Amino acid sequence: MRIHVVDHPLVAHKLTTLRDKRTDSPTFRRLCDELVTLLAYEATRDVRTEQVSIESPVTATTGVRLSHPRPLVVPILRAGLGMLDGMVRLLPTAEVGFLGMIRNEETLKAETYATRMPEDLSGRQVYVLDPMLATGGTLVAAINELIARGADDVTAICLLAAPEGVEIMERELEGAPVTVVTASVDERLNEHGYIVPGLGDAGDRMYGTAG
């Protein structure tokens, strides 16, 4: 597994405001959207392309376009949904699947409650969206599901990661074609499984606590 921490002043600036407990939900959602687009720019450096011949207003030339099958973007519900617009803004031709997973707050294990994805992901590059790589259980379960469907190139885009979660993913997904792109690897997890210093519960801060 590869992990790429995006070192850019705009990323650090937006992340600082996301961490601030005084940041309200509308601002949090907007900054999350902007930050995801910056992370997506780095995450798609290896997106697959093919050559294409075109006519410019001046002459014939050769360029590139995204190759087929098109990339698949999979937000993990619910918090990952807040990252979707920022991702598809950069990849508007990508297809979108959905994976509903929730962390059991007692066992800290991920439980799946909904899936909406192609059964066959052979040859597909897949981008998984999940704001927090905390214990790692949710992303490990999600990525195993994608690989079981044939995905051979999976990139997880996370706002934040904890060292414990990174370690779990490296152990559980050893040898798997996985890259993690994040704005920061923070200090640690606390006794409740939250990232420190982190930014709190991303889903609650995006959408409130209803439900």
Side-chain angles (χ1 to χ4, degrees):
M1 189 188 82
R2 297 185 302 161
I3 182 160
H4 176 46
V5 180
V6 179
D7 182 16
H8 192 286
L10 285 179
V11 170
H13 166 73
K14 295 178 190 301
L15 181 57
T16 298
T17 307
L18 287 173
R19 291 190 193 274
D20 192 333
K21 67 180 182 180
R22 298 169 298 180
T23 300
D24 60 24
S25 288
T27 304
F28 191 95
R29 287 194 298 270
R30 176 177 57 80
L31 287 173
C32 179
D33 181 81
E34 294 171 0
L35 180 55
V36 170
T37 299
L38 293 173
L39 297 178
Y41 180 79
E42 294 293 332
T44 55
R45 283 188 179 274
D46 295 325
V47 69
R48 294 169 186 164
T49 60
E50 59 189 16
Q51 285 195 336
V52 59
S53 298
I54 62 168
E55 294 278 346
S56 82
V58 179
T59 187
T61 188
T62 302
V64 299
R65 66 183 176 193
L66 296 185
S67 59
H68 284 79
R70 290 182 291 173
L72 181 70
V73 177
V74 181
I76 298 179
L77 306 179
R78 76 176 163 152
L81 196 59
M83 303 172 68
L84 181 58
D85 286 349
M87 185 69 190
V88 297
R89 181 177 298 113
L90 205 65
L91 277 179
T93 60
E95 294 182 349
V96 178
F98 296 94
L99 185 57
M101 306 191 79
I102 190 168
R103 185 177 69 169
N104 184 307
E105 295 301 332
E106 294 182 0
T107 65
L108 301 182
K109 300 293 185 181
E111 299 176 353
T112 302
Y113 64 86
T115 56
R116 180 75 174 185
M117 296 185 296
E119 288 297 326
D120 184 6
L121 296 177
S122 300
R124 301 288 288 268
Q125 285 183 293
V126 183
Y127 296 90
V128 185
L129 309 180
D130 193 13
M132 316 298 283
L133 170 48
T135 63
T138 298
L139 270 176
V140 166
I143 291 170
N144 278 331
E145 174 70 22
L146 297 169
I147 292 174
R149 295 177 183 231
D152 64 0
D153 188 336
V154 180
T155 299
I157 301 176
C158 307
L159 303 182
L160 292 179
E164 295 91 335
V166 172
E167 183 180 347
I168 290 292
M169 287 191 65
E170 288 176 335
R171 183 172 71 244
E172 297 294 327
L173 298 171
E174 183 179 2
V178 177
T179 300
V180 175
V181 177
T182 184
S184 174
V185 176
D186 278 9
E187 296 174 11
R188 59 184 172 85
L189 292 179
N190 66 15
E191 63 275 15
H192 302 295
Y194 283 91
I195 298 175
V196 178
L199 48 75
D201 187 299
D204 287 351
R205 295 196 66 190
M206 285 181 194
Y207 303 119
T209 57

